[in-house]
Amino acid sequence: IVSEDTKLKTTMGTPESSSSEDCPFCLIANNQADTDILLTDDELVCFRDMKPGATHHYLVVTRTHVDSCKSLREDDIPLVERMVEMGRSILEKNKVSDLDDVRMGFHVPPFSSVPHLHLHALAPASTMSFKSQLHYGPQLTLHILIKFDNN
């Protein structure tokens, strides 16, 4: 169940065992940074990207430190599906109704700015700047894009 919070109130596991001391996303996930948490559950947190590439640009990160999408294995598919669902939920909560004009995905290292698994959820993709299109565009193999059914 996803709850709506303005600040993160709980953490999963022990911060020492599930985080990297210098990882900014671990600090956010463990409520050690001044970041507004928009959605949260036992394993994920969602907040606004500090350098938005679109009108709506959110990040969904794992509470436990996972280096990148390269660290994922087949048994992590349900985690990725939950990340996508949270990304979709925050977009819908913010009145994004055209889910065909959404871009979701992961940057593949070494092209990710923070070495912690994070899903970008951006909308509307059609109004993104040229620079954002290059950085988050579907034509790049550096970004794993996620397409989902609107049903």
Side-chain angles (χ1 to χ4, degrees):
I1 296 175
V2 175
S3 64
E4 299 175 20
D5 289 338
T6 54
K7 291 288 181 186
L8 185 61
K9 295 179 182 167
T10 60
T11 57
M12 180 175 111
T14 19
E16 294 77 26
S17 66
S18 64
S19 68
S20 174
E21 286 182 21
D22 58 348
C23 174
F25 291 168
C26 286
L27 294 174
I28 292 169
N30 288 303
N31 202 25
Q32 297 172 348
D34 187 26
T35 301
D36 287 337
I37 302 300
L38 305 173
L39 293 175
T40 183
D41 66 18
D42 289 341
E43 62 186 346
L44 304 171
V45 296
C46 177
F47 52 93
R48 285 180 182 82
D49 193 297
M50 289 177 51
K51 296 178 182 175
T55 304
H56 299 279
H57 188 169
Y58 307 100
L59 298 177
V60 178
V61 304
T62 55
R63 287 182 182 271
T64 57
H65 188 86
V66 177
D67 286 335
S68 73
C69 55
K70 282 188 165 185
S71 304
L72 297 173
R73 302 291 174 251
E74 186 175 347
D75 58 344
D76 293 315
I77 290 172
L79 171 66
V80 172
E81 290 171 340
R82 289 188 296 278
M83 293 177 81
V84 170
E85 183 54 39
M86 185 175 278
R88 184 177 185 162
S89 293
I90 193 63
L91 291 170
E92 289 172 344
K93 179 183 173 203
N94 285 281
K95 310 281 190 261
V96 173
S97 57
D98 184 0
L99 297 179
D100 289 328
D101 198 17
V102 166
R103 186 133 325 133
M104 284 196 192
F106 302 94
H107 285 288
V108 178
F111 303 100
S112 52
S113 58
V114 177
H116 183 125
L117 183 66
H118 57 284
L119 173 76
H120 291 268
L122 302 99
S126 61
T127 64
M128 289 169 40
S129 71
F130 179 71
K131 182 179 175 184
S132 292
Q133 288 286 348
L134 289 176
H135 193 67
Y136 302 103
Q139 71 279 10
L140 297 180
T141 57
L142 312 176
H143 200 258
I144 297 173
L145 293 174
I146 297 168
K147 185 80 173 158
F148 51 88
D149 188 9
N150 290 338
N151 298 327

